[in-house]
Amino acid sequence: MQGSFEYFLDQLINGTTLGAVYGLIAIGYTLVYGIIGMINFAHGEIFMIGAFISIICFLILGAAGITWIPLALLIVLIMTMLFTAIYGWTLERVAYRPLRGTPRLAALITAIGMSIFLQNYVQLLQSARNKPMQPVFSGGIELMQSNDYIVSLSYLQMFIMSLTLVLMIVFSLVIARTSLGRAQRACEQDRGMASLLGINVDRTISLTFVMGAMLASVAGLIFLLNYGVIDFFIGFLAGVKAFTAAVLGGIGSLPGAMLGGLLIGLIEAFWSGYFTVEYKDVAAFGILVLVLIFRPTGLLGKPDIEKV
Amino acid sequence: MAVLSAAGADAKPLDIGAMVKEAGLAGLIAFGLAFGLVGFETLDVPGGLAINTRFDDVAAVVVLTILGRIAMILLREHRPLLVAVIGLPFSVVLIVSLVFGWWTYFLPFSSAMVGWIVALMAAVFSLRAINALSHGDTVASREQREKTMDRIGARVQTAAKYVGPLLLAFAIILPFLPFADRRILDIGILVVTYIMLGWGLNIVVGLAGLLDLGYVAFYAVGSYSYALLALHLDMGFWVCLPFAGFMAALTGVILGFPVLRLRGDYLAIVTLGFGEIIRVILLNWYEFTGGPDGLSGIPRPTFFGLEFKRFAPEGMDTFHTFFGLEYSPIQRIIFLYYLILVMALITNLFTMRIRRLPVGRAWEALREDEIACRSLGINPRNTKLTAFGIGAMFAGFAGSFFATRQGFISPESFTFIESAIILAVVVLGGMGSQIGVVFAAILLIGLPEIFRDLQQYRMLAFGSAMVLIMIWRPSGLLAHREPTLLLNDGKSKPQETS
């Protein structure tokens, strides 16, 4: 069975879905790293908060009697992006802005502290138990069938892939075409010069965090829909792997983050499909180490020249 | 209004409109933060989840945020009197009612802890206002604060010559003080363990400037080395100790070899990855490590072959019969305490001495400027590897102590959060400062242990303490860098450079 093409296709679909989650989180890391050069370690927790706000929204909608799925999904999507964005904005304002211009290590420690804080904050408010949710979608289309082995693409997976694709196109356009995107790229190149030219650097950085948080919240929603169960601890591993994805693709590069996310998702899916499930995290980190040794700037990253 | 503007001669008339707008905005943000996660509680009921609303808590959060913001604005606009007049009675009433347990009449919260936070915030605001009233200025600028703290840091480091021995003397007599019961000693052991780990990591982070987020991996290697050797080969603690350190150092060198040429943040994330890899392997290699069940029945350490048991095995002496003492289980605890104290002191002594050796100097030079070092003929990779290996070795020693103290180890004990705590001890104390590690460990490990009853708020407070200390002083509490080398032994004044 493992040798068949159908099995391969199945893993490919699973890996792509997983890759969508990692890619969406990785964009947040890459944007923030590009603009202020820090690892926003608490970004994984923002993803977790997005998942929690999504499940709360679904429960409220269920209680309110809105059961038409497209409408419910749209409301949840907008709500979770909105409320998670506030967390992203506050995180930057409270924890990172006072530390701008201080040693990098200080910002990293603050980020780790924030990550611990947010995890325990959610645990206190929503208890430490697993939060299960009934599947929202059912059914799908059959792609292939041979020897009783059916490869199907569920509507859920189609939804996830198309949503991710749309979001990535929209956000790429925002960065490539709008004045906000231009301001972001200017800040990335030279913050001091950008502010001299009349760009509100603080506002640009805040909006970068808001954008990252929005994408991470969608990743949280996808995670919830795909796995049907969340807890307060999901942010850590997903965050670390998404960061791995960002580094793999070349940190600071938007297409790199998407590519990296997809690759990490595929590596995980194929590793669990063909080797052992237990060591899938080891595989992801192993790839990261190999990439960093042989191509320290990542796959699509620009070489970083150190000036003296 | 003459009274209100007493503190600042240059006080402008208060712009009420702007103040309301700013406070309202803060309230709106607080509402947005609280509405989703505070306002609704997911409850587990048979067959799924139910939802419960807590809108009174949301309202309380919003009101308190607005009040806090107004207090901040008033302080900023040099009107501390108003804050003091309102804030002081408020905080006093709250604290008194919290102490006597009447707080339920004043506050709509379901927990006394939230009440304490509110009361302490009000107290901080009113103290700052009173300070502003008596000194005429409200908020010290960051530069002033940095300067003051740097002076304190420098003073503590000069005082370390006297404070250090005093602390050490206290640590030595601690087990014989009247209040030192088993609980105090356990906390002492824990704190000293973290001090030792902090000193070990200080070699890597503080001296060599390598950001290591996976330090706990070496701690784990040390623990498992000792446990496996003791369980399978029946070797004693003292024989295993060097071996455990060696294994951890070897792991450090093997892991470090490919990754140490990476720069700061990349190195951090790769070491984090390695930490997780080691944990995943420990979790899944069931035949060898016992997987999630861990290893139990790890032998306790002996005092030069004398066991700490009530009854001796055939033909052997126990500690209390050999020394003619009454048997008491606390003897073993005291022994463990001294054991880790000696190990930590050895770590400290080693670090202090190696800083003066060429390799120690090379570490510090490498931290400051890698390119300059390379052009001066220092091999960066080998130098970093020694730092990584030596740091790992001390983690290995501490790890085998952990194994022998607990008698049981499992991968649960070696999660990322441990690495984060150890790193926090090093960074919060002020990187490279040995005495800073001691203070940070007492602050971060000791205090929360004493308040163990507030278990569920422990990590919350820990996280916020990390953030607050870093915002207050980004270079660490007691950071102060003494030059390691001085011209003319520091007698002539160094020239001011711009």
Side-chain angles (χ1 to χ4, degrees):
Chain A
M1 189 193 84
Q2 277 201 356
S4 69
F5 178 67
E6 287 78 13
Y7 189 74
F8 174 81
L9 203 62
D10 224 16
Q11 301 310 321
L12 192 67
I13 294 170
N14 287 340
T16 316
T17 323
L18 198 59
V21 176
Y22 291 148
L24 286 173
I25 309 175
I27 292 176
Y29 278 113
T30 235
L31 285 178
V32 167
Y33 194 92
I35 205 161
I36 52 175
M38 72 167 283
I39 301 177
N40 177 11
F41 207 87
H43 193 58
E45 313 316 323
I46 296 288
F47 152 80
M48 179 267 295
I49 286 175
F52 265 87
I53 291 179
S54 303
I55 201 170
I56 289 171
C57 279
F58 274 119
L59 289 171
I60 296 171
L61 290 179
I66 298 172
T67 46
W68 192 49
I69 291 170
L71 179 66
L73 272 178
L74 190 68
I75 295 175
V76 172
L77 190 65
I78 292 171
M79 286 296 157
T80 184
M81 280 172 101
L82 177 69
F83 284 109
T84 314
I86 298 177
Y87 274 92
W89 183 86
T90 314
L91 177 69
E92 194 271 335
R93 184 71 191 78
V94 172
Y96 301 153
R97 193 177 293 179
L99 284 170
R100 218 170 283 157
T102 56
R104 275 183 169 189
L105 201 53
L108 186 71
I109 292 288
T110 315
I112 294 173
M114 243 10 240
S115 164
I116 295 172
F117 175 84
L118 287 175
Q119 247 176 46
N120 286 278
Y121 165 80
V122 173
Q123 185 194 356
L124 269 179
L125 289 172
Q126 303 289 341
S127 88
R129 290 167 173 235
N130 284 345
K131 302 286 172 190
M133 197 183 75
Q134 302 292 328
V136 178
F137 284 91
S138 55
I141 49 171
E142 275 181 34
L143 289 180
M144 251 181 143
Q145 187 183 7
S146 69
N147 316 329
D148 303 332
Y149 191 83
I150 303 168
V151 185
S152 65
L153 183 65
S154 69
Y155 291 132
L156 172 67
Q157 284 163 333
M158 285 161 69
F159 170 74
I160 290 173
M161 286 174 198
S162 42
L163 179 65
T164 311
L165 207 61
V166 168
L167 279 173
M168 284 182 173
I169 291 171
V170 168
F171 275 84
S172 304
L173 284 179
V174 166
I175 287 179
R177 296 282 162 82
T178 63
S179 57
L180 169 65
R182 261 197 303 283
Q184 278 176 328
R185 279 176 289 140
C187 289
E188 192 176 331
Q189 284 176 4
D190 192 331
R191 235 188 296 158
M193 193 65 216
S195 74
L196 282 178
L197 293 175
I199 289 172
N200 188 341
V201 175
D202 279 345
R203 185 171 157 269
T204 311
I205 293 174
S206 284
L207 285 176
T208 307
F209 273 85
V210 165
M211 274 167 69
M214 281 179 161
L215 290 173
S217 76
V218 178
L221 172 65
I222 291 175
F223 187 93
L224 174 69
L225 290 172
N226 199 25
Y227 295 99
V229 59
I230 56 171
D231 60 57
F232 71 96
F233 202 62
I234 57 171
F236 172 65
L237 205 57
V240 171
K241 279 196 199 143
F243 186 79
T244 305
V247 173
L248 181 61
I251 197 147
S253 143
L254 198 65
M258 300 173 200
L259 179 71
L262 195 65
L263 281 178
I264 293 281
L266 288 174
I267 288 164
E268 250 193 78
F270 281 110
W271 188 280
S272 2
Y274 287 96
F275 304 108
T276 48
V277 173
E278 292 85 18
Y279 289 106
K280 65 178 166 91
D281 301 341
V282 175
F285 290 127
I287 296 285
L288 171 75
V289 173
L290 285 180
V291 168
L292 284 179
I293 290 167
F294 292 110
R295 204 178 148 75
T297 51
L299 295 176
L300 299 182
K302 283 171 274 183
D304 188 15
I305 300 159
E306 206 169 333
K307 290 179 198 142
V308 188
Chain B
M1 298 301 280
V3 187
L4 287 185
S5 54
D10 58 336
K12 293 181 290 270
L14 198 58
D15 186 352
I16 300 286
M19 192 177 89
V20 169
K21 197 177 148 198
E22 204 180 326
L25 210 62
L28 199 68
I29 295 287
F31 175 76
L33 289 177
F35 182 70
L37 288 174
V38 180
F40 298 95
E41 186 184 15
T42 49
L43 295 173
D44 301 276
V45 291
L49 285 179
I51 204 142
N52 183 27
T53 58
R54 293 181 290 203
F55 291 136
D56 44 349
D57 287 355
V58 178
V61 168
V62 172
V63 169
L64 287 171
T65 310
I66 292 176
L67 287 179
R69 189 76 214 186
I70 290 176
M72 275 170 80
I73 296 168
L74 286 175
L75 282 180
R76 194 183 62 204
E77 303 290 331
H78 307 291
R79 284 188 178 62
L81 191 64
L82 197 62
V83 180
V85 165
I86 301 174
L88 200 60
F90 186 68
S91 52
V92 168
V93 166
L94 270 186
I95 288 173
V96 168
S97 66
L98 278 162
V99 169
F100 291 101
W102 309 324
W103 57 276
T104 35
Y105 303 112
F106 298 100
L107 291 170
F109 298 112
S110 42
S111 154
M113 190 64 195
V114 187
W116 272 112
I117 293 171
V118 175
L120 289 180
M121 268 177 64
V124 168
F125 276 127
S126 35
L127 284 182
R128 267 176 68 173
I130 290 167
N131 185 38
L133 278 178
S134 51
H135 292 296
D137 195 5
T138 41
V139 188
S141 69
R142 157 162 286 168
E143 287 77 42
Q144 275 171 305
R145 203 165 65 202
E146 284 287 310
K147 242 180 243 163
T148 326
M149 281 310 288
D150 193 57
R151 222 176 307 130
I152 294 176
R155 213 173 291 159
V156 169
Q157 277 186 12
T158 10
K161 277 182 219 132
Y162 317 104
V163 177
L166 273 179
L167 271 178
L168 182 62
F170 176 73
I172 289 172
I173 58 165
L174 176 71
F176 303 107
L177 294 177
F179 61 86
D181 53 1
R182 178 158 183 173
R183 187 164 152 268
I184 297 281
L185 280 180
D186 274 336
I187 294 176
I189 291 174
L190 199 69
V191 170
V192 181
T193 312
Y194 276 97
I195 291 176
M196 175 169 176
L197 285 169
W199 278 338
L201 185 61
N202 211 357
I203 297 175
V204 183
V205 180
L207 295 187
L210 303 166
L211 186 46
D212 185 355
L213 284 179
Y215 194 60
V216 80
F218 310 125
Y219 190 44
V221 168
S223 280
Y224 274 85
S225 301
Y226 166 59
L228 289 168
L229 284 174
L231 289 174
H232 294 309
L233 299 180
D234 213 23
M235 287 160 78
F237 177 75
W238 295 104
V239 185
C240 292
L241 189 67
F243 196 77
F246 173 73
M247 282 300 288
L250 193 67
T251 321
V253 171
I254 290 172
L255 293 189
F257 195 71
V259 301
L260 278 177
R261 60 190 196 136
L262 299 172
R263 283 186 306 117
D265 295 342
Y266 289 106
L267 181 68
I269 215 77
V270 171
T271 47
L272 194 163
F274 272 137
E276 283 298 296
I277 288 178
I278 298 251
R279 197 179 62 86
V280 170
I281 291 173
L282 291 178
L283 205 57
N284 290 306
W285 195 358
Y286 202 86
E287 306 76 45
F288 191 57
T289 64
D293 305 341
L295 296 167
S296 53
I298 301 165
R300 304 296 191 167
T302 54
F303 185 79
F304 298 105
L306 301 168
E307 295 201 38
F308 290 92
K309 282 184 179 157
R310 187 179 290 273
F311 302 109
E314 265 314 306
M316 279 160 93
D317 258 339
T318 62
F319 179 77
H320 67 282
T321 49
F322 188 85
F323 285 96
L325 295 165
E326 195 74 5
Y327 173 76
S328 154
I330 202 142
Q331 283 161 359
R332 189 169 60 82
I333 309 289
I334 294 177
F335 172 64
L336 282 173
Y337 176 79
Y338 280 127
L339 180 60
I340 188 67
L341 192 63
V342 168
M343 281 163 67
L345 288 175
I346 290 172
T347 313
N348 186 25
L349 202 68
F350 183 89
T351 316
M352 302 289 255
R353 300 305 302 168
I354 206 165
R355 274 180 93 158
R356 305 192 186 287
L357 292 182
V359 63
R361 301 252 200 252
W363 288 339
E364 290 192 78
L366 209 58
R367 173 188 70 196
E368 301 302 333
D369 196 332
E370 185 167 343
I371 294 174
C373 280
R374 204 180 296 218
S375 32
L376 288 173
I378 294 171
N379 182 339
R381 195 190 55 208
N382 290 359
T383 315
K384 285 178 179 176
L385 270 182
T386 49
F388 218 61
I390 289 172
M393 177 181 78
F394 285 117
F397 290 150
S400 47
F401 171 79
F402 177 76
T404 190
R405 180 200 163 206
Q406 298 290 97
F408 164 77
I409 50 172
S410 75
E412 288 263 301
S413 313
F414 307 107
T415 51
F416 165 72
I417 197 83
E418 289 295 315
S419 291
I421 292 175
I422 303 167
L423 186 67
V425 164
V426 173
V427 178
L428 294 184
M431 283 207 303
S433 156
Q434 296 289 87
I435 195 96
V437 168
V438 177
F439 283 116
I442 293 171
L443 198 72
L444 284 181
I445 313 297
L447 278 187
E449 281 303 315
I450 291 169
F451 295 109
R452 192 111 219 180
D453 312 335
L454 306 168
Q455 175 74 343
Q456 49 175 336
Y457 298 101
R458 209 166 68 94
M459 289 317 285
L460 197 73
F462 182 79
S464 20
M466 274 168 81
V467 176
L468 290 177
I469 294 177
M470 277 292 110
I471 289 177
W472 194 58
R473 180 143 165 83
S475 43
L477 280 179
L478 294 178
H480 170 75
R481 223 173 246 174
E482 279 293 334
T484 359
L485 273 178
L486 290 173
L487 283 176
N488 305 332
D489 293 328
K491 272 165 203 148
S492 68
K493 266 200 161 174
Q495 275 190 340
E496 289 287 330
T497 45
S498 57

